[in-house]
Amino acid sequence: MNKKANGIIIEDVLKKLAIVLKQGQFHDVDNALVMTSIKVFLKLINELIEYDGIQKIDLIGDLFYLNNARVKYSSKSSVILDDLSREFIKRDLGSVAFTSQLSIDDIKVFLKIFTEAAYQGDSFESMKASLTHIEGIEVDRLKHIKEEEKDKRRTVITSYFNAVSFVKTLTTKLESKEKISVKTAKRVVGTIIDAIFNEEQLLFGLSAIKDFDEYTYHHCVNVSVLSIAMGQRIGLKRKALVELGFAALFHDIGKTSIPNTILNKPSDFTEEEWKVMKRHPYLGALSMLRLKEPDTSLISNAIVSMEHHMSSEHSGYPEMRNPMELDFYSNIVTIADRYDAMTSSRVYQRIPLSPDEAVRRMMETSHFYDPRLLKLFVLMLGLYPAGSLVLLNSGEMGIVCEGNPQCTERPKVSIIVDKEGNKVDGVTVDLTERDHAGNYTKNILKTLDPHKYKINLAEHLL
Ligand SMILES: [Fe+2]
Ligand SMILES: [Fe+2]
């Protein structure tokens, strides 16, 4: 299902833009057909601007994003949208931002500039120069990444998204009472472990990019990534990491037994709905134990499923008649689960917290968690976890792209806005760098809210 904003299906906005740009290649801008398409597009985009402010379309890899959210499109639209991405690439165009209400003339001029740019030496530069005359449309160049670096990162990104689609398939199977393969699930966990060994910080970054349409599946993988990374720091052997990763991946499996009307309810739960929702730990444990001859992984999962909302002081749910100390894996998954939920706009938090704010809140409520594991988690993510938006004393704004476990207040930061306030191409600065006098060259002044600044984390972290 495509995301909707103010009743408008996002896929349609891109499709209508693609049609305008396509028709502009064959007809004059004043052609009646082109004018009709321009009017249709204009109506949608102006409505969205009025409803939600700036509308920024980014092309990252093969995917389009509108205001940070991935645009999911149906197979019917794939031909026209693949064509649009080719036209963007041909012009080295990475993004178009519609910043204020537009007129028919604005779109006509934009269409003319876009069409003509394809025949210029530096298409992007000529387009950018010509567009300075239109207030309300801004463009940015396509980002290119070095090939070998790209391959390594691509493998890790593929493992992450494969894990997400695996959880999705498996959830569907469980919902329709089909058999599932525990062996395949463990293989998927194995690929996550390998990815963490290779590119842990990239995975932390990936888990910071929230996909609102497929929250549940991403959440399962994120909790598994964070749990395995903690397990690795504790020194768990691979077999134990697989067990922990597996239990984490399916900690919310009980939600497959909760009606979708409750799970996806956009407003607050009623008391009755909360009661149903709070049964998911128990239902998850039950479904795992019923799967087949329970092996140790399934038993571990059942325990984690049952305990992941209890909290270490048993103030959560379900309530136990004789409370016992939580299982070791449950304590790990509880922390990873709470962090990922807090940084997403679901159930616990209608407005998501920034990564650093979530860590701070967890430290303030440390009694809910195992204190040693929480300390380990905070050290692992650092004061500024990957995905945090920060302001440096140099006046630049950047996104934390790599934590620094040795010195958590000095991560690596990818600069996205220079001190004059211009958007820049993400030079990475290491905050441990010092000048000749031995002083740090740059420091973090404060963190900023990425949602307020409409920063597309996917663009900078992928
Ligand atoms: Fe849960
Ligand atoms: Fe969860």
Side-chain angles (χ1 to χ4, degrees), residues 99 115 141 152 174 243 325 352 369 375-376 457:
T99 59
T115 311
R141 201 183 270 282
K152 202 176 155 201
L174 274 173
E243 211 163 84
E325 210 177 302
Y369 316 99
K375 202 171 165 192
L376 178 101
L457 282 183

Side-chain angles (χ1 to χ4, degrees), residues 51 74 87 90 92 129 137 239 241 340 373 432 435:
Y51 168 72
S74 55
E87 294 301 327
K90 200 191 276 176
D92 214 17
I137 303 184
K239 199 171 169 239
L241 285 179
D340 190 66
L373 289 173
T432 58
D435 59 18

Side-chain angles (χ1 to χ4, degrees), residues 159-168 188 192 196 203 207 215-228 245 248-251 340:
S159 307
Y160 176 87
F161 285 102
N162 279 348
V164 173
S165 71
F166 173 77
V167 174
K168 193 174 173 179
V188 171
I192 301 179
I196 290 175
L203 275 172
S207 58
Y215 162 74
T216 315
Y217 315 118
H218 280 259
H219 172 66
C220 296
V221 177
N222 295 345
V223 174
S224 189
V225 164
L226 295 169
S227 300
I228 293 170
L249 196 61
F250 301 113
H251 73 282
D340 190 66

Side-chain angles (χ1 to χ4, degrees), residues 179-459:
K179 268 193 178 167
I180 61 157
S181 162
V182 175
K183 229 188 210 165
T184 318
K186 285 186 182 172
R187 244 197 329 263
V188 171
V189 172
T191 61
I192 301 179
I193 296 174
D194 294 338
I196 290 175
F197 272 117
N198 287 321
E199 283 275 353
E200 182 186 75
Q201 291 297 327
L202 171 60
L203 275 172
F204 289 168
L206 286 173
S207 58
I209 303 165
K210 306 296 176 187
D211 185 318
F212 297 105
D213 288 345
E214 307 214 312
Y215 162 74
T216 315
Y217 315 118
H218 280 259
H219 172 66
C220 296
V221 177
N222 295 345
V223 174
S224 189
V225 164
L226 295 169
S227 300
I228 293 170
M230 284 172 80
Q232 219 170 57
R233 276 173 171 70
I234 294 161
L236 297 185
K237 295 259 167 46
R238 191 172 173 98
K239 199 171 169 239
L241 285 179
V242 171
E243 211 163 84
L244 168 64
F246 178 87
L249 196 61
F250 301 113
H251 73 282
D252 266 339
I253 205 72
K255 286 189 181 171
T256 54
S257 312
I258 306 287
N260 277 333
T261 45
I262 298 182
L263 269 186
N264 302 325
K265 194 180 173 200
S267 49
D268 291 339
F269 293 140
T270 60
E271 210 171 300
E272 212 36 56
E273 286 164 340
W274 255 119
K275 252 188 214 166
V276 178
M277 193 66 183
K278 282 179 173 176
R279 278 174 60 77
H280 82 268
Y282 162 75
L283 294 169
L286 206 63
S287 71
M288 273 294 152
L289 294 176
R290 273 182 186 157
L291 271 183
K292 58 172 210 173
E293 222 27 42
D295 71 359
T296 49
S297 295
L298 294 176
I299 293 171
S300 280
N301 178 273
I303 296 170
V304 168
S305 178
M306 187 73 178
E307 295 182 339
H308 75 277
H309 286 290
M310 277 183 187
S311 93
S312 64
E313 49 163 29
H314 286 272
S315 56
Y317 61 89
E319 279 172 41
M320 302 296 277
R321 206 167 299 148
N322 300 307
M324 291 185 301
E325 210 177 302
L326 295 195
D327 178 77
F328 182 56
Y329 290 167
S330 300
N331 275 320
I332 293 178
V333 174
T334 297
I335 292 172
D337 176 53
R338 199 59 64 95
Y339 173 77
D340 190 66
M342 279 175 140
T343 50
S344 310
S345 60
R346 289 292 163 119
V347 192
Y348 311 100
Q349 205 75 36
R350 290 293 170 201
I351 298 165
L353 299 180
S354 60
D356 55 294
E357 181 60 25
V359 167
R360 235 187 321 274
R361 292 266 181 105
M362 287 174 76
M363 282 161 71
E364 281 164 17
T365 51
S366 58
H367 50 281
F368 288 137
Y369 316 99
D370 178 296
R372 288 154 306 174
L373 289 173
L374 182 64
K375 202 171 165 192
L376 178 101
F377 183 73
V378 173
L379 281 174
M380 179 177 92
L381 291 186
L383 279 176
Y384 306 102
S388 303
L389 182 66
V390 292
L391 179 70
L392 303 183
N393 60 343
S394 56
E396 296 158 305
M397 196 192 277
I399 289 178
V400 174
C401 54
E402 204 177 312
N404 178 359
Q406 276 75 42
C407 185
T408 63
E409 69 273 26
R410 302 210 160 267
K412 285 186 183 156
V413 175
S414 169
I415 305 295
I416 57 165
V417 175
D418 66 15
K419 53 179 180 255
E420 273 84 39
N422 304 311
K423 281 189 200 162
V424 287
D425 235 355
V427 186
T428 302
V429 294
D430 186 339
L431 295 187
T432 58
E433 275 170 17
R434 294 173 190 258
D435 59 18
H436 297 305
N439 299 316
Y440 288 115
T441 349
K442 288 171 186 179
N443 302 310
I444 293 176
L445 274 188
K446 61 174 179 176
T447 53
L448 304 165
D449 181 1
H451 306 283
K452 197 171 143 196
Y453 289 88
K454 291 213 182 301
I455 301 294
N456 187 348
L457 282 183
E459 179 188 336

Side-chain angles (χ1 to χ4, degrees), residues 145-159 199 201-202 206 401-402 460-462:
I145 312 167
K146 275 190 205 148
E147 271 319 306
E148 332 89 75
E149 184 67 4
K150 219 165 152 181
D151 281 348
K152 202 176 155 201
R153 291 168 71 88
R154 197 177 286 147
T155 313
V156 172
I157 292 168
T158 309
S159 307
E199 283 275 353
Q201 291 297 327
L202 171 60
L206 286 173
C401 54
E402 204 177 312
H460 300 286
L461 293 172
L462 283 177

